[in-house]
Amino acid sequence: MNAIAATPLWNRFFIFCLLNNMFLFIFYFAQTAILPVYIVNQLGGSIAQAGLAMTLFMASSIAVRPFSGLIIEKFGKKKTFFVSEIMFCFFAFIYLLADDLTTLLIIRFLHGIWFSILTTVCVPIANDFIPEQRKGEGMGYFVMSINLGLVLGPLIGLSLISALGYHRITLILAAVICLGFVCCLMIPIKEISKAIANEKKKISLHDFVEKRALPASIMVLFAGFAYSSIMAFISTFAELKHLLSYAGLFFLVFAISMISVRPFTGRLYDRKGPNLIIYPSVVLFAIGLAILSQMESLNGLLLSAVFIGIGFGSVQPCLQTLAIQRSAKHRIGHTTSTFFTCYDTGIALGSILLGLVIAHYDYEVMYLLCAVLTLLSLLFYKFVVDKQQPLA
């Protein structure tokens, strides 16, 4: 029997990790969807202030992310995991007290800190329960739990907000996070070697950045930059094309496309290596962006969602797996923080710079530019990422 196929992946602790991660991102994406509605309709805020609530969360998350690996190393995975999970649950309930804009903005900023630490420490914990021969497949499923949150979060939030109102939905979402906490209690967490953890030293750049993870992380920065064009501008572009009512369908097709190829791409990664997945995935991502740049109808919108879902949805987990495999095992916390710092930075830079491209030119030019930059990123992959020597 094939050794990879014979190695069990679906152990109960890995499933608990997936469930906790899915519940976490259901809350995150649901709040992202319903907060602007609450701010504008009930707090009397503006669209700009609704955007500020999103920006503050991301800003605190990006600011803390480089320190997350050091926090995990200093305090251990178990303590970091439970403290950040408890604080994330705490702030999930604190949203119920946000009856004015200032309070809500403060909550968003503080919540982003714990989101950053929690999502960083979840990766090395889940990685401990993935067999060595099935890292690509396992990390693919782990990222798929985020994709499920992407679909279920907005679906729950936007479907129920008219009937139940913001506070009742927030209470339901907080209860969902508590289910994740119950999963956490059943996960046995393996600490890194005390000899490694206690060894050293003065604080240095090494405490914040995993150098061996940088090539793959910079590659995902390029991908995140292009993907920000979807996150930030697809709704307004669809509205311009009189397709706003189908924007939700775009994300549904996008998510289904991502999820449908995940089992195959993970197995191919483990059997044949990253190149077989990353090259075609980046090309498909670029094709999807190019189709979107010329989109005039619903068919074009949905066709682009298929290509982007398969392309971006495959390349991100593969690059994350590659970053982990290229780094020492006891540095996985630093690897994860480096990877997500680059990814979040790409999203943030793209949201700003691509907005300027739209203002000076138009959406079509912006999406075509993203397609070209995505293809050009393959040069970086070929001459930098792929040339990096694996650990001995």
Side-chain angles (χ1 to χ4, degrees):
M1 184 181 291
N2 185 290
I4 292 176
T7 306
L9 172 63
W10 293 102
N11 58 81
R12 67 183 186 278
F13 302 127
F14 180 58
I15 293 171
F16 289 146
C17 290
L18 294 185
L19 289 173
N20 176 60
N21 205 50
M22 183 182 72
F23 294 144
L24 168 64
F25 280 94
I26 285 175
F27 181 94
Y28 169 70
F29 285 115
Q31 281 289 353
T32 300
I34 65 176
L35 264 179
V37 178
Y38 177 61
I39 289 171
V40 173
N41 294 344
Q42 295 187 44
L43 296 185
S46 64
I47 293 293
Q49 288 170 324
L52 181 60
M54 304 301 114
T55 303
L56 282 174
F57 188 96
M58 179 170 278
S60 62
S61 179
I62 292 174
V64 171
R65 187 78 75 181
F67 298 91
S68 299
L70 181 61
I71 291 169
I72 295 168
E73 183 180 74
K74 293 295 183 184
F75 297 101
K77 287 187 288 187
K78 185 172 183 177
K79 187 177 292 185
T80 303
F81 186 44
F82 282 116
V83 170
S84 58
E85 184 82 34
I86 289 168
M87 292 304 295
F88 193 89
C89 290
F90 171 75
F91 277 102
F93 284 100
I94 291 296
Y95 280 87
L96 296 169
L97 305 179
D99 54 2
D100 64 82
L101 189 59
T102 301
T103 302
L104 181 60
L105 293 178
I106 292 171
I107 291 170
R108 288 294 288 173
F109 182 82
L110 295 175
H111 207 186
I113 294 172
W114 295 107
F115 175 81
S116 180
I117 298 171
L118 179 56
T119 52
T120 300
V121 75
C122 280
V123 175
I125 290 172
N127 185 71
D128 285 339
F129 301 105
I130 301 173
E132 204 61 43
Q133 306 95 323
R134 303 183 71 175
K135 291 296 184 187
E137 188 180 0
M139 288 309 300
Y141 283 119
F142 186 78
V143 174
M144 191 170 76
S145 67
I146 300 174
N147 302 150
L148 290 172
L150 171 65
V151 177
L152 295 175
L155 184 64
I156 293 169
L158 295 175
S159 299
L160 298 179
I161 191 165
S162 298
L164 299 181
Y166 175 77
H167 288 90
R168 287 180 181 174
I169 294 177
T170 297
L171 188 59
I172 291 170
L173 294 172
V176 168
I177 287 296
C178 290
L179 287 176
F181 182 68
V182 171
C183 291
C184 294
L185 296 175
M186 293 184 278
I187 300 171
I189 297 172
K190 307 171 188 175
E191 293 291 1
I192 61 174
S193 164
K194 289 186 177 180
I196 295 172
N198 294 332
E199 147 192 335
K200 79 157 200 222
K201 81 212 183 190
K202 296 179 181 177
I203 296 292
S204 67
L205 183 63
H206 186 66
D207 292 295
F208 305 104
V209 176
E210 174 48 54
K211 289 188 288 187
R212 290 197 55 83
L214 271 177
S217 300
I218 293 172
M219 183 69 186
V220 89
L221 186 151
F222 295 141
F225 184 92
Y227 182 59
S228 71
S229 67
I230 306 300
M231 290 185 67
F233 304 115
I234 189 63
S235 296
T236 51
F237 184 45
E239 183 177 30
L240 183 68
K241 299 294 183 177
H242 308 292
L243 294 168
L244 181 59
S245 59
Y246 297 105
L249 187 57
F250 172 92
F251 283 106
L252 180 60
V253 173
F254 174 88
I256 291 171
S257 301
M258 267 195 292
I259 292 168
S260 64
V261 299
R262 190 57 48 75
F264 311 106
T265 55
R267 288 173 189 167
L268 281 173
Y269 180 103
D270 291 326
R271 287 176 169 85
K272 303 293 185 181
N275 290 357
L276 187 65
I277 304 301
I278 290 174
Y279 280 110
S281 296
V282 171
V283 171
L284 289 174
F285 185 22
I287 291 172
L289 292 167
I291 292 172
L292 195 57
S293 74
Q294 305 303 310
M295 181 267 296
E296 296 292 342
S297 67
L298 176 60
N299 288 339
L301 181 68
L302 299 184
L303 183 61
S304 69
V306 172
F307 278 92
I308 294 169
I310 294 173
F312 179 78
S314 298
V315 76
Q316 185 200 356
C318 286
L319 287 171
Q320 185 173 348
T321 305
L322 187 60
I324 290 171
Q325 290 179 326
R326 293 279 170 87
S327 306
K329 288 184 180 180
H330 71 277
R331 296 279 298 172
I332 190 172
H334 297 80
T335 297
T336 305
S337 66
T338 300
F339 184 86
F340 281 115
T341 297
C342 288
Y343 175 65
D344 292 343
T345 300
I347 294 287
L349 287 175
S351 300
I352 297 167
L353 297 179
L354 295 177
L356 295 177
V357 173
I358 294 169
H360 285 84
Y361 298 97
D362 54 34
Y363 286 95
E364 287 82 357
V365 170
M366 184 270 291
Y367 280 115
L368 202 54
L369 175 64
C370 286
V372 172
L373 291 175
T374 298
L375 280 178
L376 289 176
S377 72
L378 282 177
L379 295 175
F380 179 82
Y381 180 81
K382 178 177 176 60
F383 294 108
V384 179
V385 183
D386 197 31
K387 296 296 183 184
Q388 184 185 24
Q389 295 298 314
L391 282 173

